[in-house]
Amino acid sequence: STLFPYTTLFRSGTILIFQSGPPSQITGGYLTVNASDGGVNFAPGVTARTIQNSMGVYRTGNPWVETVNPSLLAANGGISSSYYVPNTTPGVFGANPYIYGPHWFNDDLSLNKTIPIMERVRATLQFQFLNVFNHPAFGLGTLAAQSLSFAQTTGTITTARRLEIRANIEF
């Protein structure tokens, strides 16, 4: 009708974010070069790419997740020495490469409904669902060669699902 020219259908929108994980540096934990981390020494045939290719989210039944393949870990929870060890040679830098955590995605959704009240007055209802699928994205955890909780994390880089509701009267 011409008295109420506004639609009463829902309008929706979405924002989808898909990105690589956050960067983190592999460290040795020994301050062997002027009070700076001396880095790590990779085993023969192992590179930072080897560690990067093992990135993922591995649920092991513990109250945390592993962000590298558990096959890279020693029995004590640290990185296996068959991959890399801390550089302990004074005055010599080892490798301190950056690797990226598991990729992640987030989807936000909005629904809007305009309801005519009078000729020049309308109500608008807005619903916003932030992280609509409640998908967690985990941080990397520590990648220090000496850590006994290597790549273990319970921390997330996203928030839990949230619903925001707003009502407007427009005139």
Side-chain angles (χ1 to χ4, degrees), residues 97-157:
Y98 281 88
I99 61 173
Y100 293 88
H103 66 272
W104 62 279
F105 73 92
N106 185 60
D107 198 10
D108 298 334
L109 174 70
S110 68
L111 295 173
N112 301 311
K113 178 155 178 95
T114 301
I115 304 166
I117 297 174
M118 294 174 28
E119 185 175 349
R120 294 188 178 168
V121 179
R122 64 180 177 239
T124 302
L125 297 175
Q126 298 173 326
F127 303 91
Q128 293 182 356
F129 303 89
L130 305 175
N131 194 2
V132 68
F133 297 116
N134 203 25
H135 180 74
F138 292 96
L140 260 172
T142 180
L143 298 178
Q146 296 182 37
S147 174
L148 297 181
S149 58
F150 186 84
Q152 294 176 1
T153 187
T154 57
T156 58
I157 55 177

Side-chain angles (χ1 to χ4, degrees), residues 24-109:
S24 187
Q25 190 172 28
I26 296 176
T27 60
Y30 289 100
L31 304 179
T32 58
V33 182
N34 294 335
S36 296
D37 189 86
V40 297
N41 295 323
F42 287 106
V46 176
T47 65
R49 176 64 54 197
T50 307
I51 308 301
Q52 181 68 59
N53 290 341
S54 73
M55 283 292 135
V57 176
Y58 301 91
R59 291 173 174 86
T60 59
N62 296 313
W64 60 83
V65 297
E66 297 284 351
T67 55
V68 298
N69 191 325
S71 67
L72 272 63
L73 303 178
N76 65 1
I79 186 74
S80 172
S81 60
S82 60
Y83 291 97
Y84 63 82
V85 295
N87 177 30
T88 57
T89 308
V92 176
F93 281 111
N96 266 354
Y98 281 88
I99 61 173
Y100 293 88
H103 66 272
W104 62 279
F105 73 92
N106 185 60
D107 198 10
D108 298 334
L109 174 70

